[in-house]
Amino acid sequence: MTSTALVTNETEAPLGTASPAQPLALPDRLSTDFLYHHRLCPIAILPDGALAVAVTDDSLVGALDDLSVAYDRRVVPRAVTTQELDVLLARLTAADEASVEVERAVREDEAFTSDVRDLANQPPVVRYVNLLIREAYDAGASDIHLESTRDGLQARFRIDGVLLPGIDPPAHSDRAVVSRVKLLAELDIAERRRPQDGRIRVRLKDRELDVRVSAVPTVFGESVVLRLLDHGGGAIALEALGLPAALLATMQRLAQQPHGMILVTGPTGSGKTTTLYAALGLRAASREKIITIEDPVEYSLEGVAQVPVHSETGVTFASMLRSILRQDPDVIFVGEMRDTETAELAVQAALTGHVVFSTLHTNDALGAIPRLLDLGIPPYLVTTTLEAVLAQRLVRTICEACRESYIPDAAAAALLGEDSETPSALARGRGCAACRGTGYRGRTGLFELLELTDEVREAITARPSRPHLEQLAREGGMRSLRADGWTKVRAGVTTVEEVLRVSQN
């Protein structure tokens, strides 16, 4: 399910907490199905004994009389939006269903309160969660990590691929903060022993964020990770990714081919989807049918039909790929080839005249070949359909606000192939407020491109050794990820340490 949170004024009272004089519970004769059907929700027992009820324009007014009878109280309607009503219903029903679990948890752990919902809606907790999301967004963080430790809850931001300290929560509010996030994501606040996943819609500074929430139990409590997806952002142009000039020209040519398959490889978070979005931007969406299958949809692409995957409902990459092949597509983007069925369908699509873009999890470009073979794709189909494999990593770039020159030591000079006695000056960041003391701000890519030449295709059919493939790839002009990294170090874009961090020999 999806809820909507409006991150605005820090002092704004949370919805549905208008000073109830008595705790609210559903009478035995009143079901949650009744509330959902009639589109209304009891909020609180007011000091004068009346029942405050949230209603929308779609609420069935006659049902208010039934609520009055069920609670044996006078009813006072309160107008709310449809989204606000959905949140109130989710909170009320979750709290009602969880009451037995909460009581059991209190007996097991005295620190856990039976009214976690009220704690989660306290102003300091609401302000902290709002501030946490705003700070993460302003810092350009991709994820917020809330980690339960022996000493309490710790917040960290993943900025430019690296975890950095965030804003620590108020004292003694660890479980309240976790419960607040779970309430917004419409998760079961009483369930602390199994993993849960949800999402929150956040409107922030005229932008809409889709926040994916994952909660898992740990030794000292729950660990919650919030993935921030900015749907107001757009795809980045291929020219802005940091591709060397020659490799950029090759990718521009490959991206506009009339048929065949192009793969981008690398670990999670290496920018594979961003690169393929940029490649899709070179296609003529006004004249071609372009369909993507993604998990999740990260950016909105003009003129492109984007299909999200929902594994829990049976909508997988393979099942959706089979369906969209009947949609007469020209270009297909498959978010990831995870299994044999998806790989076979993608190869068949490329074989029948479609352009297919997809990703694989391999360490380098050459690793895509054995991976496809392991997925059951015959060598002759690999050589017939695969046009190129682009491997990539992301490295942090030097902060311009605190950039300085320095002379590298002998070990660094040797890595760069320079004379250790008279090495050239390199650049690094001292660390400042602009980069949060890291010396880095922003990221760029390291790339290696394996284009399938006739020699490489012939070798794949014969199932050669990896050293032989590497030799053929180098002869065809492929430069390794690390070689591209050293070029960017010499140009003052990044540092030796960053290249060593993300690449391998």
Side-chain angles (χ1 to χ4, degrees), residues 7 27 33 37 50 76 166 246 266 282 284 301-302 350 382 410 477:
V7 182
D33 291 339
H37 175 73
V76 178
L282 298 176
L301 301 176
E302 187 69 28
V382 174

Side-chain angles (χ1 to χ4, degrees), residues 18-352:
S19 302
Q22 300 176 27
L24 190 62
L26 288 179
D28 293 337
R29 51 186 167 174
L30 187 64
S31 70
T32 57
D33 291 339
F34 173 88
L35 301 179
Y36 276 100
H37 175 73
H38 294 283
R39 302 298 296 159
L40 41 80
C41 179
I43 301 175
I45 306 300
L46 301 177
D48 64 358
L51 175 68
V53 179
V55 298
T56 70
D57 293 339
D58 298 328
S59 297
L60 299 180
V61 178
L64 291 173
D65 294 336
D66 295 331
L67 274 184
S68 178
V69 172
Y71 280 91
D72 193 23
R73 296 177 185 275
R74 181 172 59 88
V75 169
V76 178
R78 296 276 181 87
V80 298
T81 67
T82 299
Q83 292 175 334
E84 290 170 339
L85 179 66
D86 288 337
V87 173
L88 287 169
L89 284 170
R91 291 175 180 170
L92 177 66
T93 55
D96 183 63
E97 294 166 359
S99 59
V100 176
E101 292 295 327
V102 172
E103 291 174 5
R104 185 181 298 118
V106 171
R107 290 195 298 270
E108 295 172 353
D109 185 353
E110 295 180 357
F112 188 76
T113 175
S114 63
D115 200 359
V116 291
R117 185 165 59 89
D118 276 357
L119 275 179
N121 287 326
Q122 292 298 314
V125 176
V126 174
R127 285 196 298 267
Y128 171 74
V129 173
N130 288 356
L131 179 62
L132 190 71
I133 296 175
R134 281 202 301 271
E135 282 289 314
Y137 175 80
D138 290 341
S142 61
D143 302 85
I144 302 170
H145 290 245
L146 293 171
E147 301 162 328
S148 295
T149 69
R150 186 186 301 274
D151 299 322
L153 195 66
Q154 171 183 276
R156 295 196 288 173
F157 297 155
R158 186 172 295 280
I159 301 174
D160 295 333
V162 177
L163 283 173
L164 299 173
I167 309 168
D168 288 333
H172 311 299
S173 65
D174 299 357
R175 286 175 174 158
V177 169
V178 170
S179 296
R180 174 67 183 173
V181 173
K182 292 172 69 175
L183 277 174
L184 291 174
E186 298 185 8
L187 303 180
D188 186 346
I189 58 176
E191 178 55 72
R192 297 179 293 150
R193 295 180 297 275
R194 63 179 177 86
Q196 297 187 74
D197 296 294
R199 66 176 63 176
I200 311 168
R201 291 277 190 182
V202 175
R203 294 188 300 275
L204 185 66
K205 293 185 177 179
D206 299 325
R207 306 299 288 267
E208 183 179 272
L209 301 183
D210 185 8
V211 182
R212 304 298 176 96
V213 179
S214 172
V216 299
T218 67
V219 174
F220 298 109
E222 289 181 280
S223 171
V224 181
V225 176
L226 296 83
R227 166 66 57 89
L228 309 182
L229 299 175
D230 184 1
H231 286 295
I236 300 174
L238 200 62
E239 295 83 354
L241 299 179
L243 290 157
L247 198 152
L248 173 62
T250 303
M251 279 300 298
Q252 289 172 331
R253 171 176 55 81
L254 290 168
Q256 298 178 75
Q257 290 195 147
H259 54 77
M261 183 165 63
I262 298 173
L263 300 178
V264 177
T265 74
T268 300
S270 60
K272 300 185 297 293
T273 301
T274 300
T275 297
L276 288 177
Y277 274 7
L280 287 176
L282 298 176
R283 307 295 304 196
S286 60
R287 300 193 302 272
E288 295 180 313
K289 177 75 169 183
I290 304 175
I291 305 180
T292 73
I293 310 171
E294 306 174 61
D295 183 22
V297 174
E298 296 189 16
Y299 304 119
S300 178
L301 301 176
E302 187 69 28
V304 176
Q306 296 175 267
V307 181
V309 168
H310 294 293
S311 299
E312 62 275 10
T313 60
V315 181
T316 63
F317 281 109
S319 65
M320 190 52 63
L321 181 54
R322 184 178 289 103
S323 297
I324 69 170
L325 285 174
R326 296 190 288 269
Q327 292 277 312
D328 187 30
D330 297 296
V331 181
I332 302 170
F333 167 37
V334 183
E336 183 182 344
M337 291 201 295
R338 296 177 177 173
D339 51 52
T340 298
E341 185 180 8
T342 304
E344 289 176 344
L345 289 168
V347 167
Q348 287 298 324
L351 191 63
T352 53

Side-chain angles (χ1 to χ4, degrees), residues 397-400 402 428-432 435-441:
T397 54
I398 297 169
C399 176
E400 293 297 331
C402 60
R428 64 186 176 191
R430 293 188 307 274
C432 63
C435 61
R436 293 176 172 253
T438 63
Y440 301 96
R441 193 174 186 186

